[in-house]
């Protein structure tokens, strides 16, 4: 909160969700890992096959958060709301674990 008071620009609270990229030897391996990721709740996961035949499996969560807090140095939300957002972001971090 003290840093927000000193700022003159725009500030955004951003939480990036979990991402894991795995290079797989076979497409079957990627498909198995994809199935496990989806069943585990990582709904934004996918498989990419490159031109050279590389098979990449991305395990991704959908638990992102991006909320503007200040605009041109002016606080646009209450301190109580910032505390609420931090609580939500910490919960999302626990979900990533």
């Amino acid at each position: 909160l003290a840093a927000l008071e000193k700022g003159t620009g725009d500030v955004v609270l951003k939480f990036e969700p979990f991402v894991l990229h795995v290079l797989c030897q076979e497409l079957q391996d990627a498909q198995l890992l994809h199935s496990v990721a989806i069943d585990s709740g990582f709904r934004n996961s996918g498989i990419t096959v490159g031109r050279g035949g590389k098979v990449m499996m991305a395990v991704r969560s959908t638990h992102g958060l991006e909320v503007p807090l200040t605009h041109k140095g002016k606080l646009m939300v209450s301190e109580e709301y910032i505390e609420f957002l931090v609580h939500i972001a910490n919960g999302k971090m626990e979900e990533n674990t």
Side-chain angles (χ1 to χ4, degrees):
L1 293 173
L4 291 176
E5 292 173 6
K6 296 176 186 176
T8 58
D10 296 348
V11 175
V12 175
L13 173 70
K14 186 171 185 178
F15 173 82
E16 294 283 343
F18 172 81
V19 178
L20 172 68
H21 291 101
V22 180
L23 181 61
C24 299
Q25 290 183 342
E26 304 284 335
L27 181 58
Q28 292 172 314
D29 300 329
Q31 288 171 327
L32 176 61
L33 183 55
H34 182 260
S35 178
V36 170
I38 296 296
D39 290 345
S40 297
F42 295 101
R43 296 179 299 274
N44 202 22
S45 299
I47 299 171
T48 303
V49 180
R51 292 182 189 177
K54 286 185 178 179
V55 179
M56 184 69 68
M57 168 55 200
V59 179
R60 288 186 285 235
S61 171
T62 58
H63 300 109
L65 178 69
E66 187 169 352
V67 181
L69 301 177
T70 69
H71 180 65
K72 297 181 180 177
K74 180 182 178 191
L75 187 61
M76 303 303 289
V77 297
S78 70
E79 291 182 12
E80 181 181 8
Y81 187 64
I82 293 172
E83 291 174 11
F84 170 74
L85 290 175
V86 169
H87 177 75
I88 296 295
N90 285 338
K92 290 179 180 292
M93 179 65 86
E94 287 296 321
E95 289 177 28
N96 277 342
T97 303

